[in-house]
Amino acid sequence: MDTSSENLAIAIGKALGGGQASAYNATVFCQGLNHQMSYAVSVHPRAFMWSAKELPDGPTRTFDPQRLIIQTDGVDDPYGLSIERIPFSFPEAVQLSFPLSLPIWGRHLDDYHPVGSEVRGSDTTLLLRHRVDPTIFGSFTFDTESGMAKTLVTPTTALKLEREARPDNGKYDFGFVAGSGDPDLQNRLRTDKNTQ
């Protein structure tokens, strides 16, 4: 474990980048003290666009970045978000996609702060120390090259993101398509079902 401030700063910078700017789909596993859930997520991190469907057949939550509203199955949640609350109010299903939403950076209200880093294979892990009780630790792991988050583990929370592989079949993957209007637009645009 490297605790030098220079290498820690480099690792934090890569982690805060949050991965590539391109859209992607993933499965996210979330475990807390009283719950264990999994979600199918579609994310475009740079545009703050996301949707998260609780698996196997639960509700779908989405974020409308134009109106700053989180919706559940197309219905606006009863509260709006301000610029200051984004992404702090994002649900755990998409927190790994938006690293600033995680309470691990040593900010005023964060529970943890990074104290060391370790590179192992293609991954970098940040060792996290609890802000109030220095005997409590956690870890945040991300892909070293891309900065894409993979896991967050603390004594009370476990989040794991498994990104879907891009299609390698000669077809184009335009990623996440969102907006107001036709909710079935993405399905109708898929060439493998409608044309050939």
Side-chain angles (χ1 to χ4, degrees):
M1 183 67 56
D2 187 347
T3 58
S4 74
S5 57
E6 181 180 352
N7 288 339
L8 183 58
I10 291 169
I12 291 170
K14 286 181 181 180
L16 285 175
Q20 301 167 350
S22 62
Y24 62 89
N25 296 321
T27 302
V28 177
F29 304 94
C30 307
Q31 185 172 345
L33 293 175
N34 298 316
H35 72 281
Q36 184 172 350
M37 312 287 284
S38 58
Y39 299 87
V41 299
S42 292
V43 181
H44 194 308
R46 300 288 188 241
F48 280 112
M49 296 172 66
W50 57 262
S51 71
K53 177 175 179 42
E54 184 181 324
L55 297 174
D57 56 3
T60 299
R61 297 186 79 195
T62 58
F63 179 64
D64 181 340
Q66 282 80 31
R67 296 188 308 133
L68 302 180
I69 296 287
I70 294 177
Q71 298 176 321
T72 302
D73 289 333
V75 177
D76 292 354
D77 285 352
Y79 62 91
L81 299 177
S82 64
I83 292 295
E84 300 81 36
R85 292 181 59 201
I86 298 171
F88 299 107
S89 297
F90 285 176
E92 66 181 358
V94 296
Q95 286 179 346
L96 287 174
S97 298
F98 301 95
L100 284 173
S101 68
L102 299 168
I104 63 171
W105 306 111
R107 296 166 295 193
H108 177 64
L109 297 176
D110 286 351
D111 297 327
Y112 291 86
H113 64 278
V115 294
S117 65
E118 179 176 75
V119 177
R120 184 167 286 198
S122 63
D123 293 340
T124 296
T125 298
L126 294 176
L127 177 65
L128 309 171
R129 178 174 278 158
H130 196 271
R131 186 176 169 173
V132 177
D133 185 344
T135 65
I136 298 175
F137 290 91
S139 66
F140 175 71
T141 302
F142 61 94
D143 180 80
T144 303
E145 185 178 324
S146 72
M148 178 74 129
K150 291 186 172 186
T151 62
L152 171 67
V153 178
T154 70
T156 58
T157 303
L159 303 177
K160 180 178 182 181
L161 184 144
E162 292 181 354
R163 185 173 175 171
E164 291 180 12
R166 292 186 173 274
D168 189 23
N169 56 6
K171 297 182 180 180
Y172 294 102
D173 177 14
F174 292 101
F176 182 70
V177 176
S180 58
D182 187 350
D184 195 43
L185 180 62
Q186 188 171 10
N187 290 331
R188 288 190 292 115
L189 292 175
R190 297 181 194 264
T191 58
D192 57 341
K193 290 182 181 177
N194 300 315
T195 61
Q196 287 188 12

